[in-house]
Amino acid sequence: MSGTKRLAKRSIIGTRVSALWQQDGRFYPGVIRALAAEETPTNQALYTVRFDDGFESNATSKEIIGPGFATGPTGRLKHAQKVFVTMNGREVCGLVAHHDRRVEDVIISLKHSNGEEFTINRKLDDIRLMESRKSARLVDQATDYSKLADLQLSEPKRRAVSHSIDVPSPAFKQRHRRHRDSSGDTEGSEHGGDFDDVDIMDETIAAMVLTSLSVSPKSPTITTQYRGETTFEPTQEHSYVSSSVASSGFYSGHSERDDPSPPHLSESAPASSSFDFPGRSDLVPSDSDTRDTLHSRLSEQGDPEDRIKYRCTWRGCSTVCLTSTQIERHIRRAHFDRDSDLELSDREEEFYYEEVDDVDLDSVTQSFAGMYTSSPPSILPDSLEMARTFDHDYQRKEEKFRSHSHGHSQASSVPSGGTFGQSGATSSIPITIPEGQIKRSLSWQIQAPSPGSLVSPPQRTSKMTPQERLQQHQAQSPKSHMLSMSPLKSAGPHRKPRSEVRKCRKVYGMDNRDQWCTQCKWKKACTRFLD
DNA sequence: TGTGCCGGGTT
DNA sequence: AACCCGGCACA
Ligand SMILES: [Zn+2]
């Protein structure tokens, strides 16, 4: 591994890159002009780079950032190096104020058109030396400038920090680099071990923006990138927003503009021709809603083979998996809040799933399908696991439907089975014990709360996690007639009857937020107490 | 008023 | 992905 690589493809010529200008140690935009020297066992290839401002010089492959070369800066960025970062969904351009090599944190100085400066702190990896094309997200966000203004204006905790660091003054930015003393440009002045979370913006932007031009020029032609205004000339240097964005109107002086015509690169496109992008995947319809996608996708796989599945019996959960390994994993993750794959001590997972016959599942799915018209329920049993794991809502609904329509769907399709704790004619899930192997399976949690038959958890009562305990409390709570009441009580069209189950928030209280399950902390559907 | 959590944002 | 949070429907 003599560190040799052959990025020689001749297509490299003309590639837009950011290359090191030896004289001042900073990177500047330009294009590969030629291969000045082939790579040799001892030396790296040398390229001639023509900078956008007309200068030209040679650089080794290591000193070039761009397609075919390093993907991003690696060395220390010099003070005042021009960089691009994404901020609030937009690409902005700033100058490096300080780069801390130890943690690869870079403090970047930014400035708004109104002249105010502020700094942000980014990881080196998040920094680009070249403008990037807009990401899918940037594209449709580009129109919503009100957000930006909003953000800026409503920043309450303004920290007057921006000047605590040595930030190049606006004037300084006109560095005419080519002529700056390139000699002892060590400028090791601003080193203070400071760094750290410098901060966010602290800026106020004029009321300008409120005009949200609702144009969404999703023109895929963005690939053409700019061409004409590639130069970062001192004059309008700090345009702040990279040209690609600027062209959508914000900084172009007028709130109104949206000139949809693609950037004419007519002027000349000698070199730019080879500025091709890896893939034009932008043209794809792109991310539809994940749920639907998931659905349709899932419904394509499946195997009518094995009939035995594993179903989670955790109260309210009915996730089904193909293998016991999977189900155990699910249990650990969803119900024990363990992210890892480690087995629970004593393999407690085993107590929370049962084996079920395919047929039974199908009927379940069927009944579910019948009622749920909105989504194609052609889900095959084996995909259920995923569907459920990914979409708790789905899972929840499904469970409701099941318990609702269970009485009929069960029919005789059930092989031999032994129900655990027969507490009346309630809907206890049939437990099937396959001839061959014997596995423990339980359904203690589905029983109705008949006065007398206590909801007894698996013999293993000896040890219960706090979650289980709480779980049971809920199960025994006076309101656990879930089964008997219609989940669709409110006649409302899309009214979703909220479950009675108390979730982390309520169980632990606001004070013990740290004990909530992660989802609850994030205000997402609780994974610990499923309905 | 408080809860649950979806949808949307940022990093 | 992780994290955060506005705001809504429901209780
Ligand atoms: Zn929770």
Side-chain angles (χ1 to χ4, degrees):
Chain A
M1 46 233 123
S2 37
T4 55
K5 42 183 181 153
R6 79 317 30 224
L7 33 84
K9 316 185 321 177
R10 58 183 137 306
S11 66
I12 206 82
I13 306 297
T15 301
R16 275 209 70 77
V17 297
S18 189
L20 181 67
W21 175 256
Q22 306 279 358
Q23 274 79 138
D24 71 357
R26 301 195 181 91
F27 287 84
Y28 295 91
V31 301
I32 300 291
R33 194 60 178 314
L35 176 59
E38 293 277 355
E39 146 175 38
T40 72
T42 52
N43 297 311
Q44 302 180 357
L46 193 63
Y47 295 92
T48 301
V49 178
R50 140 97 93 190
F51 292 98
D52 290 339
D53 50 15
F55 288 82
E56 206 165 273
S57 81
N58 288 344
T60 65
S61 47
K62 280 249 260 306
E63 300 166 337
I64 300 175
I65 311 286
F69 301 90
T71 50
T74 50
R76 178 171 186 278
L77 294 175
K78 296 203 75 168
H79 178 250
Q81 164 68 55
K82 180 167 183 163
V83 295
F84 296 90
V85 296
T86 302
M87 200 174 78
N88 300 324
R90 267 164 294 273
E91 176 168 83
V92 296
C93 160
L95 299 181
V96 169
H98 176 64
H99 176 184
D100 188 314
R101 283 312 298 275
R102 287 174 298 172
V103 285
E104 293 300 21
D105 263 349
V106 183
I107 295 168
I108 301 164
S109 161
L110 299 170
K111 184 161 74 69
H112 266 295
S113 45
N114 63 5
E116 290 186 61
E117 281 188 19
F118 59 97
T119 61
I120 58 172
N121 192 331
R122 283 295 148 83
K123 286 295 178 192
L124 186 61
D125 310 314
D126 301 329
I127 291 175
R128 275 158 273 128
L129 258 27
M130 295 195 297
E131 288 177 286
S132 64
R133 64 175 172 157
K134 288 187 275 187
S135 71
R137 194 145 144 222
L138 297 186
V139 171
D140 56 345
Q141 267 206 351
T143 53
D144 192 24
Y145 298 120
S146 54
K147 289 252 176 77
L148 176 72
D150 200 43
L151 204 157
Q152 307 272 8
L153 287 168
S154 61
E155 179 61 67
K157 50 205 173 198
R158 307 184 22 156
R159 274 168 94 263
V161 184
S162 59
H163 300 315
S164 62
I165 341 172
D166 172 5
V167 161
S169 72
F172 172 82
K173 286 161 192 155
Q174 311 186 349
R175 46 84 244 236
H176 257 312
R177 70 203 223 229
R178 313 297 159 166
H179 303 111
R180 258 163 83 46
D181 71 312
S182 46
S183 50
D185 194 27
T186 334
E187 64 191 16
S189 48
E190 86 295 355
H191 280 244
D194 48 78
F195 69 104
D196 281 326
D197 46 31
V198 181
D199 88 323
I200 28 258
M201 51 211 51
D202 81 15
E203 220 33 349
T204 23
I205 211 171
M208 55 214 273
V209 210
L210 308 181
T211 46
S212 47
L213 24 151
S214 54
V215 225
S216 180
K218 285 209 173 130
S219 100
T221 51
I222 46 178
T223 32
T224 44
Q225 204 64 47
Y226 51 78
R227 193 45 263 202
E229 68 155 313
T230 53
T231 53
F232 303 139
E233 269 342 73
T235 47
Q236 43 133 301
E237 164 115 281
H238 239 49
S239 54
Y240 246 63
V241 176
S242 62
S243 62
S244 51
V245 175
S247 65
S248 358
F250 190 177
Y251 287 102
S252 49
H254 257 343
S255 51
E256 224 265 313
R257 138 189 188 97
D258 66 75
D259 161 292
S261 62
H264 294 190
L265 48 163
S266 51
E267 53 129 317
S268 73
S272 66
S273 55
S274 57
F275 190 2
D276 51 354
F277 286 76
R280 316 206 40 165
S281 44
D282 327 47
L283 305 179
V284 182
S286 86
D287 66 297
S288 50
D289 197 331
T290 41
R291 289 169 203 262
D292 293 338
T293 313
L294 186 63
H295 265 1
S296 47
R297 181 133 305 150
L298 287 174
S299 51
E300 288 174 13
Q301 44 180 295
D303 70 316
E305 289 318 281
D306 11 32
R307 317 192 61 62
I308 303 303
K309 312 287 184 199
Y310 299 83
R311 172 156 56 200
C312 177
T313 56
W314 188 276
R315 216 178 88 70
C317 182
S318 49
T319 296
V320 176
C321 296
L322 277 175
T323 69
S324 54
T325 319
Q326 286 180 330
I327 193 69
E328 285 174 14
R329 229 169 71 108
H330 153 82
I331 291 168
R332 263 177 258 127
R333 253 191 18 187
H335 307 310
F336 286 83
D337 217 28
R338 300 277 177 81
D339 289 324
S340 71
D341 284 342
L342 296 172
E343 287 183 352
L344 290 172
S345 54
D346 219 6
R347 296 197 46 72
E348 245 175 312
E349 309 93 311
E350 291 181 359
F351 281 97
Y352 299 98
Y353 67 88
E354 64 185 359
E355 292 184 355
V356 258
D357 187 278
D358 214 0
V359 183
D360 182 40
L361 275 173
D362 279 342
S363 67
V364 168
T365 315
Q366 230 80 70
S367 57
F368 174 46
M371 312 183 70
Y372 226 60
T373 47
S374 56
S375 60
S378 50
I379 305 174
L380 296 176
D382 99 282
S383 16
L384 285 175
E385 140 75 351
M386 286 193 59
R388 290 190 171 112
T389 312
F390 279 89
D391 184 347
H392 294 294
D393 205 16
Y394 169 81
Q395 167 186 330
R396 235 186 315 268
K397 286 167 193 156
E398 202 269 349
E399 147 71 12
K400 293 220 170 92
F401 282 112
R402 194 195 39 206
S403 50
H404 191 54
S405 58
H406 200 56
H408 301 291
S409 58
Q410 169 175 352
S412 59
S413 55
V414 185
S416 63
T419 40
F420 182 97
Q422 46 355 3
S423 60
T426 30
S427 57
S428 58
I429 294 193
I431 302 178
T432 67
I433 299 178
E435 317 69 70
Q437 47 191 313
I438 296 174
K439 289 239 171 171
R440 276 164 289 185
S441 51
L442 318 147
S443 67
W444 51 275
Q445 47 183 348
I446 312 288
Q447 319 168 27
S450 67
S453 74
L454 279 188
V455 190
S456 61
Q459 287 66 1
R460 181 86 65 85
T461 336
S462 47
K463 139 170 152 207
M464 277 204 306
T465 73
Q467 290 109 64
E468 293 172 68
R469 205 185 307 288
L470 285 163
Q471 250 261 323
Q472 272 189 252
H473 278 247
Q474 304 201 102
Q476 296 178 326
S477 87
K479 349 171 90 172
S480 30
H481 11 284
M482 319 200 330
L483 301 165
S484 52
M485 65 183 193
S486 162
L488 309 167
K489 54 178 176 186
S490 54
H494 269 93
R495 249 48 170 171
K496 56 175 176 189
R498 195 136 51 116
S499 87
E500 317 285 332
V501 185
R502 282 156 292 181
K503 304 297 170 63
C504 298
R505 182 178 176 140
K506 196 159 207 164
V507 169
Y508 302 104
M510 292 297 274
D511 324 288
N512 302 312
R513 201 162 184 274
D514 49 340
Q515 297 188 48
W516 300 5
C517 73
T518 8
Q519 295 310 110
C520 279
K521 285 180 194 156
W522 300 341
K523 297 218 287 189
K524 295 285 190 225
C526 179
T527 48
R528 188 172 299 164
F529 305 120
L530 308 171
D531 345 89

